[in-house]
Amino acid sequence: MANYRTYPHNQRNYPRNQKTVRTKKAPKVNPIVKYFKELGTCLAEGSTCVKLSTVFMGLGHIYNYQFMKGVLVFIVQALFIVYLIFGAAPNLAKFSTLGTVKREALFDPLTMQNTVNDYDNSFMILLGSVGALFIIFMFFLFWVSNIKSMYKTQLLLEARKHVNTFSEDFKELLGEKFHITLLSFPILGVILMNIIPILILITIAFTNYDQNHLPPSELFTWVGFRNFVKLFTQTTTSSFGYAFRRILEWTFLWAFFATVSNFLLGHLIALLINSKLIKIKRFWRTLFIVTIAVPQFVTLLLVRNFLADSGIVNSICSSMGITAFLQNVGLVSKNISYIPFLTSPGWAKVTIVIINIWVGIPYQILISTGILLNIPRDQIEAAMIDRASPYAIFRNVTMPYVMFVEGPTLVTDFVRNINNFNIIYLLTQDVYVTTDQALANSHGKEVDLLVTWLFRLTNEYYDYKMASVIGVIVFSICSIFTILSFSRIVAGEREEVFM
């Protein structure tokens, strides 16, 4: 009797003649533990030359006749020591207080001019200290890498094998290890543009850096978790806790509806265009794609003007009796003579989601069209032979394949919508005015996302400490969601089904 395996994409049974062999997986080793264990092995079993390289880093390379490599390593170590003394030490010495000397302008009777004292700049101290700690960490990794390289060279010499010269190592970076050369530039960009700014953002969240403590005229200092407590609690003097809950709820709702609506409607339109019943497919595809050519900010600003309380859309709705009808059914207050598309909380949120559909669907149509054209025909033909209905083919073949291919894209789209600054800000800035006093006290609005609230706190109110706390929260939410989602996608066994 044959064994059967059920595939989830079309629920058909395929014979399996071979028995599944289960192999026992080796226990996973923590990479950090493995990293330091290897370092301990190098230090314990390394020769005297390896041990001396812990202090004089280039000595081992010179001992092994790798003179150029040894000189370069010596130069890196010397530069690091110079930076540590003259660059890192002065900032790290003040890192615990972020400065104690305020800026003062004193009148000098000898020169008859105002002179500025030798003051401390809290932000520059913070920036220099974070940079110094990061450079120290990177040098530690370089130091460990040098120790491991020395130990590897020792093993090669003991086995009487060839040890690369500097020119051979350089040629490898342009040959077998060219991928390392290519990746070094993006990694450097990520470090400078992402990692270091995130570290500075995190540190500012633990300070009192705001409009009352703006360098260089004023100093700011550490306040511990006070800002985080302020964000998560509501008191008689602070409504940040209330504002954070309201804005966080809308951020998640917005991200969900923006992602799902664009995905479903874009995919359905792509299915419709690809249908055999539709003629001149290229025309319809071009018609939707043309909207991509118009810059998004232009579209959003035009739509904002069209939907203004005195805009053209309201004029048309009023003349056609739509406004009066909505007033009669209770969707629009009778105290106003227009539809508050962007000035009422409920109307504004619905309007923003609809406009986002208009802006985002063309991109989804492009993606879905490419996926639909690459669905394996044998699966569809097998379903048709089994007399499956069009709906059954869509549910059991088309959608599982689309979700398999586009799953990572949906994750990134959800995260992108959490941080979708343009559509919220451009549609509501200088148009929407909050009527919630608690939100207004925290400089927030009902239609704000966390990222637009963060921007307003920094750009308009100079409340950098609370903006940094919100930034840390946004970064944590996006990171955790992305890691969990991608781990589930990668951990699945669907590649065997569709590949």
Side-chain angles (χ1 to χ4, degrees), residues 21-272:
V21 179
R22 296 183 179 179
T23 57
K24 187 177 181 180
K25 295 182 180 180
K28 293 183 179 180
V29 180
N30 189 309
I32 299 177
V33 174
K34 181 181 178 182
Y35 181 82
F36 284 100
K37 188 176 180 180
E38 290 176 351
L39 175 61
T41 302
C42 296
L43 295 175
E45 301 179 3
S47 62
T48 304
C49 184
V50 173
K51 292 181 173 63
L52 288 176
S53 296
T54 58
V55 180
F56 305 101
M57 294 178 59
L59 185 62
H61 296 290
I62 295 175
Y63 180 79
N64 294 322
Y65 302 101
Q66 296 176 308
F67 297 105
M68 184 61 70
K69 192 173 182 180
V71 170
L72 290 177
V73 172
F74 262 131
I75 292 174
V76 171
Q77 185 180 16
L79 291 175
F80 173 74
I81 294 173
V82 172
Y83 167 75
L84 200 62
I85 296 173
F86 297 101
N91 287 314
L92 292 176
K94 301 178 181 179
F95 187 53
S96 60
T97 61
L98 297 178
T100 56
V101 181
K102 290 181 61 175
R103 185 179 186 273
E104 294 181 357
L106 303 175
F107 179 74
D108 189 350
L110 296 177
T111 60
M112 302 298 291
Q113 292 180 350
N114 287 332
T115 60
V116 179
N117 64 328
D118 187 14
Y119 62 93
D120 293 330
N121 189 319
S122 296
F123 184 76
M124 296 306 297
I125 293 172
L126 179 67
L127 181 63
S129 299
V130 171
L133 292 174
F134 185 79
I135 291 174
I136 291 171
F137 174 73
M138 294 302 296
F139 182 80
F140 172 76
L141 297 181
F142 175 72
W143 178 81
V144 173
S145 176
N146 183 69
I147 297 299
K148 291 183 177 182
S149 175
M150 286 288 89
Y151 182 66
K152 182 180 178 182
T153 302
Q154 174 189 327
L155 297 179
L156 290 174
L157 291 174
E158 291 175 353
R160 298 183 180 277
K161 294 183 179 180
H162 175 70
V163 177
N164 284 355
T165 62
F166 177 79
S167 60
E168 290 173 336
D169 285 335
F170 185 78
K171 289 179 181 178
E172 281 189 353
L173 291 175
L174 300 177
E176 297 176 2
K177 298 180 179 179
F178 188 59
H179 60 283
I180 298 177
T181 305
L182 291 178
L183 287 174
S184 60
F185 295 101
I187 290 174
L188 181 62
V190 169
I191 290 173
L192 296 177
M193 302 298 178
N194 295 98
I195 295 179
I196 292 180
I198 288 173
L199 293 176
I200 295 172
L201 174 78
I202 294 172
T203 53
I204 291 177
F206 294 92
T207 68
N208 61 346
Y209 187 16
D210 56 21
Q211 61 182 345
N212 296 322
H213 304 87
L214 285 177
S217 58
E218 297 292 337
L219 299 172
F220 62 83
T221 188
W222 302 106
V223 295
F225 289 92
R226 186 188 305 171
N227 298 327
F228 289 88
V229 174
K230 183 178 180 180
L231 185 67
F232 289 107
T233 57
Q234 181 179 356
T235 63
T236 55
T237 58
S238 174
S239 59
F240 268 97
Y242 169 79
F244 175 71
R245 289 192 297 272
R246 290 287 303 275
I247 295 176
L248 181 65
E249 290 172 1
W250 165 235
T251 299
F252 279 124
L253 284 174
W254 150 258
F256 173 78
F257 283 113
T259 304
V260 172
S261 60
N262 276 350
F263 171 73
L264 291 179
L265 293 176
H267 186 69
L268 289 175
I269 293 175
L271 277 174
L272 181 63

Side-chain angles (χ1 to χ4, degrees), residues 268-448:
L268 289 175
I269 293 175
L271 277 174
L272 181 63
I273 294 175
N274 288 335
S275 172
K276 294 180 180 179
L277 302 176
I278 300 297
K279 306 299 181 182
I280 54 175
K281 293 180 173 57
R282 291 184 179 179
F283 168 77
W284 294 109
R285 288 172 185 154
T286 304
L287 187 64
F288 282 100
I289 292 172
V290 163
T291 59
I292 301 176
V294 181
Q296 189 182 90
F297 79 93
V298 175
T299 302
L300 295 175
L301 292 178
L302 286 174
V303 171
R304 185 181 71 177
N305 293 332
F306 291 159
L307 298 178
D309 294 343
S310 57
I312 186 173
V313 176
N314 263 308
S315 299
I316 294 173
C317 291
S318 179
S319 61
M320 295 179 63
I322 298 176
T323 304
F325 171 76
L326 293 176
Q327 287 175 334
N328 292 331
V329 298
L331 293 178
V332 174
S333 174
K334 294 184 178 181
N335 297 326
I336 57 177
S337 59
Y338 53 85
I339 302 174
F341 289 109
L342 295 173
T343 54
S344 173
W347 276 96
K349 290 178 180 179
V350 174
T351 302
I352 288 170
V353 171
I354 294 174
I355 294 173
N356 181 70
I357 292 173
W358 167 255
V359 172
I361 271 185
Y363 297 94
Q364 185 59 47
I365 292 174
L366 278 177
I367 297 172
S368 296
T369 299
I371 296 173
L372 292 173
L373 294 176
N374 286 278
I375 294 179
R377 295 297 305 173
D378 57 339
Q379 296 184 12
I380 297 178
E381 292 170 358
M384 295 174 66
I385 292 173
D386 287 347
R387 298 182 180 180
S389 65
Y391 173 73
I393 295 175
F394 173 77
R395 183 171 64 89
N396 296 318
V397 179
T398 304
M399 279 308 295
Y401 183 82
V402 170
M403 292 302 297
F404 165 72
V405 175
E406 204 169 344
T409 304
L410 286 176
V411 174
T412 56
D413 282 347
F414 184 83
V415 173
R416 179 176 58 83
N417 282 318
I418 289 178
N419 296 289
N420 197 334
F421 174 84
N422 285 350
I423 190 166
I424 302 294
Y425 186 81
L426 293 176
L427 286 176
T428 61
Q429 181 64 11
D430 299 327
V431 175
Y432 185 90
V433 178
T434 181
T435 56
D436 191 326
Q437 188 60 43
L439 278 173
N441 290 338
S442 300
H443 314 303
K445 299 178 181 179
E446 289 90 343
V447 295
D448 268 337

